[in-house]
Amino acid sequence: MTLALVSALPEELQAVLDLLPDEQRIAVGGRAFWHGHLHGQAVVAVLSGIGKVAAATTAALLLERFQASAIVMTGVAGGLGPGVKVGDVVVARELLQHDMDASPIFPRHEMPGYGRSRFAADAAWADRLVRASEATLRDPQASLGPDAVATFQLQAPRVHQGLLISGDRFVSRTAESQALQTELPDALAVDMESAAMAQVCANFARPFAVLRTISDRADDAAHVDFPRFLTQVASRYSAAVVERLLGASA
Ligand code: ADE
């Protein structure tokens, strides 16, 4: 049973690889997959690639070539829902591709051939991610150190659960963010990969779960220093959550 650990960002992948004592690199399809062990559990770690096509290709390779029994993904996302602030974490319960539009032949957002617009995350893995991220956020200083907590003003970070939406666009205009919130009022956050991975996992009937740290509010307000946020916050949260996830279940 090999668990796939997918990172959206190189900084995050590195933080995960730092936890593996024995990783070996296997190159397939223009990607580097890292096979190793974490707390005795066989894992394969890889970058998703950016955007839905890259993510779907990575997922298909993980499931078919590496026979991954489940995919757990981490990354960053733009906050949409009220109260979903920078430094919070979103664990998806449902996923949707916000740029899927085959209307008027199919209703807006419906995935042609699937008869639905939403894919469910695996409940058991999502529960584990919630528990691991709540434990991590309870004491952000333990994984981030005092400097990052002060720099990014991470006051009482929260874990949210619900709808995560994905599309091939970095949402960086308030007007677009507002349009998404009007169209999909229950969407908590937006990224560029997760819903594509969920679709591929549904095809293979394998579990998928994803955690995203909120790096920005998907608007045109100048947000935090993105590269520093990735190295100092998101990648450290991801590694701490992954470590807890497998430490607790090993
Ligand atoms: N990932 C992080 N922030 C994002 C945003 N604003 N839009 C899409 N993907 C993101």
Side-chain angles (χ1 to χ4, degrees), residues 76-78 169-172 190-192 212 215-218 226:
V76 292
R169 259 199 318 274
F170 188 87
V171 179
S172 58
V190 59
D191 70 19
M192 300 178 68
R212 293 269 175 168
S215 57
D216 58 86
R217 278 289 304 172
F226 195 71

Side-chain angles (χ1 to χ4, degrees), residues 17-207:
L17 292 180
D18 288 346
L19 301 172
L20 308 183
D22 60 346
E23 75 274 16
Q24 286 189 329
R25 184 179 187 276
I26 304 159
V28 187
R31 289 147 170 78
F33 294 83
W34 298 88
H35 201 280
H37 292 83
L38 184 51
H39 294 295
Q41 162 76 57
V43 296
V44 56
V46 67
L47 280 179
S48 59
I50 303 215
K52 293 186 300 171
V53 172
T57 306
T58 304
L61 285 168
L62 284 168
L63 299 174
E64 187 60 15
R65 172 77 186 242
F66 292 90
Q67 295 293 311
S69 52
I71 295 182
V72 173
M73 180 173 194
T74 60
V76 292
L80 292 176
V84 181
K85 57 186 197 308
V86 170
D88 285 358
V89 160
V90 167
V91 175
R93 292 291 180 178
E94 285 189 307
L95 300 107
L96 171 149
Q97 296 175 32
H98 68 78
D99 53 357
M100 173 52 71
D101 186 1
S103 61
I105 301 161
F106 295 93
R108 177 111 170 91
H109 298 134
E110 182 170 313
M111 301 297 301
Y114 293 81
R116 61 191 160 132
S117 58
R118 298 180 182 213
F119 291 92
D122 181 75
W125 277 108
D127 287 348
R128 285 182 203 135
L129 278 178
V130 168
R131 281 197 297 273
S133 44
E134 278 177 350
T136 302
L137 293 198
R138 212 167 287 136
D139 183 8
Q141 290 213 20
S143 24
L144 307 181
D147 288 356
V149 171
T151 305
F152 297 100
Q153 300 182 325
L154 303 175
Q155 303 308 328
R158 281 187 54 198
V159 180
H160 308 265
Q161 306 176 52
L163 177 64
L164 176 63
I165 62 175
S166 310
D168 282 321
R169 259 199 318 274
F170 188 87
V171 179
S172 58
R173 286 182 301 112
T174 302
E176 189 179 355
S177 163
Q178 280 171 350
L180 287 172
Q181 286 173 63
T182 306
E183 262 180 2
L184 297 161
D186 59 334
L188 296 174
V190 59
D191 70 19
M192 300 178 68
E193 296 85 18
S194 300
M197 288 222 150
Q199 181 182 348
V200 178
C201 286
N203 287 338
F204 283 80
R206 303 261 178 100

